[in-house]
Amino acid sequence: MKATAKNAKTVVGAIDPDVLAFTVGQDPVLDLRLAEWDCYGTAAHVTMLSRMKVTPKLFSQEERDAVLRELAKIRDAARAGKFKITEEDQDCHLAIERTLTERLGDLGKRVHTGRSRNDQSATAIRLFVRDQLFGTIEELLDLAKALVAFAKRHRKLPMVGRTHLQPAMPSSVGTWADAWAEELLGTGPFLAAACDRADLCPLGSAASYGVPLPIDRILTSKLLGFHGAVGNVLAAGNSRGKVEAETCAALAQVMVTLSRLAQDLILFSMPEFGYFSLPKEFCTGSSIMPQKYNPDVCELVRSKAAQVCGLSATANAILVGMPGGYNRDLQDTKKIVMEALDTTRASLRILARLVGGLKAHPDRLRAAFADPGVFATDRALELVAGGMPFRDAYHQVRDHLEDLRGMDPDEAVAKKTHFGAPGALSPVLAAHDALIRVLRADNRAVRARIARALRRLLPETR
Amino acid sequence: MKATAKNAKTVVGAIDPDVLAFTVGQDPVLDLRLAEWDCYGTAAHVTMLSRMKVTPKLFSQEERDAVLRELAKIRDAARAGKFKITEEDQDCHLAIERTLTERLGDLGKRVHTGRSRNDQSATAIRLFVRDQLFGTIEELLDLAKALVAFAKRHRKLPMVGRTHLQPAMPSSVGTWADAWAEELLGTGPFLAAACDRADLCPLGSAASYGVPLPIDRILTSKLLGFHGAVGNVLAAGNSRGKVEAETCAALAQVMVTLSRLAQDLILFSMPEFGYFSLPKEFCTGSSIMPQKYNPDVCELVRSKAAQVCGLSATANAILVGMPGGYNRDLQDTKKIVMEALDTTRASLRILARLVGGLKAHPDRLRAAFADPGVFATDRALELVAGGMPFRDAYHQVRDHLEDLRGMDPDEAVAKKTHFGAPGALSPVLAAHDALIRVLRADNRAVRARIARALRRLLPETR
Amino acid sequence: MKATAKNAKTVVGAIDPDVLAFTVGQDPVLDLRLAEWDCYGTAAHVTMLSRMKVTPKLFSQEERDAVLRELAKIRDAARAGKFKITEEDQDCHLAIERTLTERLGDLGKRVHTGRSRNDQSATAIRLFVRDQLFGTIEELLDLAKALVAFAKRHRKLPMVGRTHLQPAMPSSVGTWADAWAEELLGTGPFLAAACDRADLCPLGSAASYGVPLPIDRILTSKLLGFHGAVGNVLAAGNSRGKVEAETCAALAQVMVTLSRLAQDLILFSMPEFGYFSLPKEFCTGSSIMPQKYNPDVCELVRSKAAQVCGLSATANAILVGMPGGYNRDLQDTKKIVMEALDTTRASLRILARLVGGLKAHPDRLRAAFADPGVFATDRALELVAGGMPFRDAYHQVRDHLEDLRGMDPDEAVAKKTHFGAPGALSPVLAAHDALIRVLRADNRAVRARIARALRRLLPETR
Amino acid sequence: MKATAKNAKTVVGAIDPDVLAFTVGQDPVLDLRLAEWDCYGTAAHVTMLSRMKVTPKLFSQEERDAVLRELAKIRDAARAGKFKITEEDQDCHLAIERTLTERLGDLGKRVHTGRSRNDQSATAIRLFVRDQLFGTIEELLDLAKALVAFAKRHRKLPMVGRTHLQPAMPSSVGTWADAWAEELLGTGPFLAAACDRADLCPLGSAASYGVPLPIDRILTSKLLGFHGAVGNVLAAGNSRGKVEAETCAALAQVMVTLSRLAQDLILFSMPEFGYFSLPKEFCTGSSIMPQKYNPDVCELVRSKAAQVCGLSATANAILVGMPGGYNRDLQDTKKIVMEALDTTRASLRILARLVGGLKAHPDRLRAAFADPGVFATDRALELVAGGMPFRDAYHQVRDHLEDLRGMDPDEAVAKKTHFGAPGALSPVLAAHDALIRVLRADNRAVRARIARALRRLLPETR
């Protein structure tokens, strides 16, 4: 058992204030977000202890009820931002234990029987991360939906397709917007993998080596709505940090995609292109240049992506070469995963609204087809399909490029009708819409199941 | 269509040799590994063209057969290390096209009808990455199996459990070894997510904007054994690099775990511990200090982990802020994913063999229990379970720590019998064994299905 | 000129509250630390404007004095933690401008004539970073001094030298401690390079393109104690972010060294070694295992190193591929450099104190020489030096290893007397001491010169 | 002393071939570049041993001359690409020792007396890195010079200055190009700091713990043209990897700047801007779109920057938490620093040539000033300077923006004449030119001094 700062004075000597500040770090602030989850973890642990077949009982039914009543109050205070964690508490776990002890005397201390701060904290973090990942998925689907909706509104609107940023071939606004939706949806399995890792219960692993008590880890796991328990107790201990690292890795993949969408928005809303305009309320302007709209939100998304990737790299770096069992380094992965989650979710939310208000400018989009070269490759392929030898087709097109001037971009888009091509986007859009609906229904079903379990464990007050 | 170096001289002017060297980079070497896969991709494309409903046919059945015969020869040459890619070729795609043209004349050039180097290259990379990931999973399962086998051999052998690297509580060698197996198996969903992304066919997206021909992307996808096709053609283009980044992210999670296992092996095989000894043939020695065995393999695994994490970060950094559509930056993600795959697989293989030859030293492991403190926490919990108030139990144990001296570590381990605890590891070991079997069967079934599809497309020569 | 949130309502339309929250981020908190420095930057700008040769004067002497009086008050409030920045202010620059305007009316608004938030902010950041780097250097010297002092106290105390963590050769505690001091001092030139970059004045570059006014950038540079001005105005703009990235890169090199020192301390204070014991007040203990001392501070330093390296990588990643001129992404490099500075400085300070209280245990250190192999290599070299053929010497030592048992480690250390060797450490220690003194004197002289300039510009109140 | 693979068979048992492949890695290829430098290091060591005051002499003058003759031959073979390193050799050090022994018998083996592969290899790496950094500096100056020359050619040519990529204010092509030169020159102190670290001699530290022989480390340091010797022998050992990490950190700062220059070139050479055109031989074209020029070189520089930053992060990550003394992980930092150096130098060289051939298009650059808003801020400042109240000036400009239409951009540039502004760039350009000259002269002087020392040590053959 880890000594609290207070205990420390009598038991192992006072902790130096500078040392306390260095080691505790930002935990008293960060842990305000974990406190709610620790209440659930503690409620499950105490409930399990109260059902443990030992004589005398470690917790009577009444004692268990008393503890849960106080935990519900603490949870509500934490949600309302009214729960306090002092630096001497170090973290939410000791703050909750202290509060219980203040209110319930020795009964409060006994909640810690048969567990350690290691599994307690690992449990709260997994509950928190799991909840956040569900929220992330919901918001990712919102953005995907906004992109698909934008794609539908401008499904056939021509847009110059580029390679190397140079104009290359006819494409459409619908193709452009939907492509980012598809890439975003493609990161789903990574978020799901992170969720799977988080959704296993480490409670009862104690300090990674179990306890000589007949605790029931399967029961606590069920009470908390986990889809299973970590098996090996040391695996539970070692996975502290790993949950965070894998979550950050998945979030980084989301942010990479957002940054590329943001970059396209920055470029194509420059006055030299004018394809899109961002909603005015998402830009900063100039008090003197009324027509100037700076795409600050998109620029910041680009930088946020670099940051979440950096957090992912940092989480990995903390773990590389770390020996097994709990090491204090792991405390720092909490802040990292919180920052990665907050940043990713804020970026998803703001972009969903931004895309919702995005405007396309058909005149500018069509005007960009003035250079006939953009039609050349498609034209050559048509000649080939009509039976002209490959080499001849290319020469003919290249030598008569001017004949392509004035070609209709709408027609050019309409001609590409194979699966997934700009001229036949509807089935793809429908498939993406359907996928969003299915994923959302799944996500909500799982969340509802978990919410029910948690309400059963520690009812909502009203 | 991108001009080859050779074409360039007549068409868009010669490429400067320095520029060629800078832009081509290591592709002529790296692409030797892709050539085999490009043969399959090209075979699928030509087969699809030969079935395309246009008059006249783009490829007659005979022409298609002629091309496939040559592709089979090139594939075999590539496998045998006898296929050559020159710097002027730039990459395997142009080298294969050149070879086909040398052998089949204009027919060879026509294989490129209706596709671009972009989708061609994306297809070869996905086929390669998918194949490599299946191999990675197989090797990961081998290492997990070796760890579980070692855990079984020493299931009850006591080992001091540590937190902060300090002795903390009784545990077992079985718990230690199996914990790394469980963590490793836990990275499976990430590898599967990377595999899912890779296992979608981008062929037919051309330069990301499709073609004005009735190509059948679903057909090529099936011919190549993909589980589906990328939908939106621009999503196919944009996902170049993303496949690589997600693969590296998953591999980094594997390597993080390997590095921690390696670190434990380095520490616990130091003479001051002597818990384990590494197989002698895995160590370098000293010509003058016969008893010195340096754990070079483990040290290098630690450093390889840092490198794969670095490659993952680099792949992400290349993508962050990159505008949509093909950009030449993406060429460099190929080298990155190859290095990450090679490094991870080599590390998995060498550690599987190392763990297979690992020896545990029961005398040294038991001798480490000399300090009675390691029994204190468990003892106090037993008193609590026996009815003694929490606080009293702790005081009593602390004040009579010497009474614990000489306690039997085997008994201490045996007393912790709840789910996943050191004294009841058998069911967890059995579950891990079963999981390994299931995952291996799945992996092999998918590989077999794909192998069948590829054999049907381009039969093996004998 | 960037519109303030307040202006925005009338001028370019209201900024959406979500957008404001997303774009402003943590600036209202972070900027509390910049406010003091912005007061100096503004004071220099106004002083320069008041001396500008235009008719009528932009600022009369009285107006300038009035502004400076208020700036001194704001500076003092900021130092005392009493200055407020609202989210509507966005940052300290607008908060200071608002405050001046509230107190001085239109005169307050006029301070912004001829500059932009870009150069204003760049100036405050450079002043802040420069000041912090001086503090970092001071603290780095403190830790180096503590290490050299510890090395002196245990200059000749034998300690097994290791390679691959395996015992290899006789060395000394003095050699061990001083080696980390030397590596730390070796990062000095990197900190100095970062300082050189920060110590150039960007003021007057406006939004990176200068102003059509005869401003005197050399004067403001001198008033602020900079060693020069950035030349090209766009270079001033582009270097926003670069100052931060280079500072983080230098700090990362410091932290890498600290993490390795921390790792050695963790390992060699494990009970299996017992070479060192960390001061008790720097450890957390266990309420039940009185002899357990967890090296939390060292573990956290290891993790902080990974974090500062991650921040350095992130700062670089934000910049890679960013187009020239100000981009909003750059706002985020401020938080990054602040976190890197805080983390590095806290780590330096806590380790200096920890090393100051470190205890060496001669008995355990000498007992580690029980294995005769550790003397083998040195012994063979002595035989070679005595004339025995190389090969014979090695065979003889290896075949009679037991003869080395019981050799005196103190003697073995004493025999290695060439430059820098364990037996002749005194001159190296003296050189390190001298270097610390010189660097400290230099650092203090520069700081004093700058402090004088700043006091002249905006006198201290009493 | 580390056993060679060959020795190993008799002494400590055969190394497993898989293990050998895993541990040796790419060293036989990478070390071809170190072989030349190891010849110098070995020559210095043997020369020093021949002067060592022991009886009998370890090396007679004749023996020393014989060894040096063979070393000169090996060096020449290495330079000519004719020196061979087998996997059994493992690295260049053992290959050279083997070659000497083949040619000189036991005398060849004796060159290793009093040193270890650790200090031998550290010496070769530092000599290599130092040489490469001098080359890097030279090439950085070439690029800076090309940028300044381009800036001079287009010193007054107007170019829209941007913030947030949006048009903001009048600037000039000269300002744009010179700004990148100044930022590049600003990375000089970092390269110098890396050079300072590399330019200290680790030879004689042996396996980090010195030797019981009167070796003269100051002498070897002078013979090799180092500006000093590492002091503490363990610091010499610990700095393996640190030299590489600091070099990579400095190179990353160079690459960050190159990537931003590359990004600007990509953007401003897009047809929508047309400000610049890249030399045709630096682009890839399209066989069918004659007017399409893809900026492949610039795109790859962007990606190379991400890679060098990744290598820097990886080098740091390998070191973080690594215990003191040699660890095998350090072998991998060699490949990392080589790749970072090669990539940076290739990027510098190709960009210097590209900038040398860059064309500016005055018509397109001036046409970009069509929107009057770009003149607004400067105009308002002029009114302020003329005495109009700040607020009034802004209102007046904003309300009569159309009056600014048709303003002459050349005049607008000419009006900004303060230090560093677009209208007064000449002194800044002259200062940059002068700085380039001074830095080049310094770099060449140091290189010449070192070259003389090395020629004295091991004369050039002719």
Side-chain angles (χ1 to χ4, degrees), chain A residues 404-422:
Chain A
L404 302 176
R405 189 172 300 279
M407 269 190 67
D408 183 348
D410 292 80
E411 274 175 35
V413 167
K415 275 179 186 163
K416 301 200 271 196
T417 57
H418 60 75
F419 176 68

Side-chain angles (χ1 to χ4, degrees), chain C residues 155 175 413-414 416-429:
Chain C
R155 186 164 53 84
T175 304
V413 168
K416 300 200 271 195
T417 56
H418 60 76
F419 176 68
L425 209 61
S426 294
V428 170
L429 292 171

Side-chain angles (χ1 to χ4, degrees), chain B residues 101-139:
Chain B
T101 308
E102 284 166 8
R103 296 185 189 166
L104 302 170
D106 199 58
L107 176 59
K109 272 211 140 25
R110 277 160 50 203
V111 304
H112 205 57
T113 307
R115 69 173 183 185
S116 134
R117 251 207 288 182
N118 291 323
D119 60 332
Q120 181 182 2
S121 161
T123 303
I125 289 173
R126 282 176 183 248
L127 288 167
F128 169 79
V129 167
R130 182 180 68 173
D131 183 65
Q132 289 280 323
L133 283 170
F134 288 135
T136 308
I137 290 170
E138 195 74 23
E139 288 156 357

Side-chain angles (χ1 to χ4, degrees), chain D residues 445 447-457:
Chain D
R447 291 180 97 174
R449 183 181 54 66
I450 290 171
R452 277 194 302 275
L454 295 179
R455 271 199 307 273
R456 259 194 311 268
L457 174 61

Side-chain angles (χ1 to χ4, degrees), chain D residues 133-321:
Chain D
L133 282 171
F134 287 136
T136 308
I137 290 168
E138 194 75 22
E139 288 157 356
L140 181 145
L141 295 174
D142 290 343
L143 174 55
K145 195 178 167 188
L147 284 163
V148 173
F150 185 78
K152 283 181 186 168
R153 279 202 297 284
H154 305 290
R155 185 163 53 84
K156 300 184 167 180
L157 181 56
M159 176 172 172
V160 165
R162 290 166 191 273
T163 60
H164 307 266
L165 271 184
Q166 303 277 320
M169 237 167 272
S171 182
S172 69
V173 171
T175 304
W176 172 82
D178 174 67
W180 293 123
E182 181 165 339
E183 181 165 319
L184 207 51
L185 292 169
T187 59
F190 280 85
L191 290 172
C195 224
D196 279 356
R197 170 77 80 171
D199 198 14
L200 291 171
C201 189
L203 196 59
S205 60
S208 301
Y209 305 104
V211 291
L213 300 177
I215 58 171
D216 185 346
R217 293 184 55 221
I218 304 301
L219 172 60
T220 46
S221 161
K222 279 186 186 152
L223 290 171
L224 290 164
F226 279 108
H227 84 61
V230 182
N232 188 310
V233 285
L234 180 53
N238 286 345
S239 74
R240 182 72 196 282
K242 197 80 169 106
V243 171
E244 292 91 313
E246 291 180 350
T247 299
C248 290
L251 296 173
Q253 292 308 319
V254 174
M255 289 302 297
V256 161
T257 297
L258 298 196
S259 77
R260 301 185 67 191
L261 166 60
Q263 183 77 319
D264 270 6
L265 287 169
I266 292 169
L267 292 173
F268 297 137
S269 64
M270 288 172 76
E272 285 79 3
F273 294 88
Y275 295 175
F276 303 127
S277 52
L278 311 182
K280 291 190 182 179
E281 65 273 23
F282 282 73
C283 298
T284 58
S286 160
S287 54
I288 194 170
M289 297 167 64
Q291 81 294 4
K292 190 165 190 269
Y293 288 106
N294 298 323
D296 295 65
V297 165
C298 294
E299 294 169 271
L300 285 170
V301 165
R302 208 166 49 182
S303 129
K304 302 294 180 209
Q307 289 172 69
V308 174
C309 291
L311 292 167
S312 167
T314 303
N316 288 345
I318 289 179
L319 295 181
V320 166

Side-chain angles (χ1 to χ4, degrees), chain D residues 293-374:
Chain D
Y293 288 106
N294 298 323
D296 295 65
V297 165
C298 294
E299 294 169 271
L300 285 170
V301 165
R302 208 166 49 182
S303 129
K304 302 294 180 209
Q307 289 172 69
V308 174
C309 291
L311 292 167
S312 167
T314 303
N316 288 345
I318 289 179
L319 295 181
V320 166
M322 176 179 296
Y326 181 77
N327 298 279
R328 188 68 182 262
D329 321 50
L330 292 168
Q331 169 178 308
D332 285 340
T333 55
K334 178 167 59 184
K335 193 184 93 182
I336 288 168
V337 79
M338 283 180 172
E339 192 173 336
L341 283 161
D342 291 348
T343 306
T344 305
R345 296 187 65 180
S347 302
L348 285 166
R349 282 195 303 267
I350 203 94
L351 281 183
R353 286 194 51 206
L354 187 150
V355 169
L358 193 64
K359 284 211 182 63
H361 298 292
D363 49 337
R364 299 294 305 271
L365 283 153
R366 288 201 177 88
F369 283 83
D371 183 331
V374 77

Side-chain angles (χ1 to χ4, degrees), chain A residues 161-223:
Chain A
R162 291 166 190 273
T163 59
H164 306 265
L165 272 184
Q166 303 277 321
M169 237 168 273
S171 182
S172 69
V173 170
T175 304
W176 172 82
D178 175 68
W180 294 122
E182 182 165 338
E183 180 165 320
L184 208 50
L185 292 169
T187 60
F190 280 85
L191 290 172
C195 225
D196 280 356
R197 171 78 79 172
D199 198 14
L200 292 171
C201 188
L203 196 59
S205 59
S208 302
Y209 305 104
V211 291
L213 299 177
I215 58 171
D216 185 346
R217 293 183 55 219
I218 304 300
L219 173 60
T220 45
S221 161
K222 280 187 186 150
L223 290 171

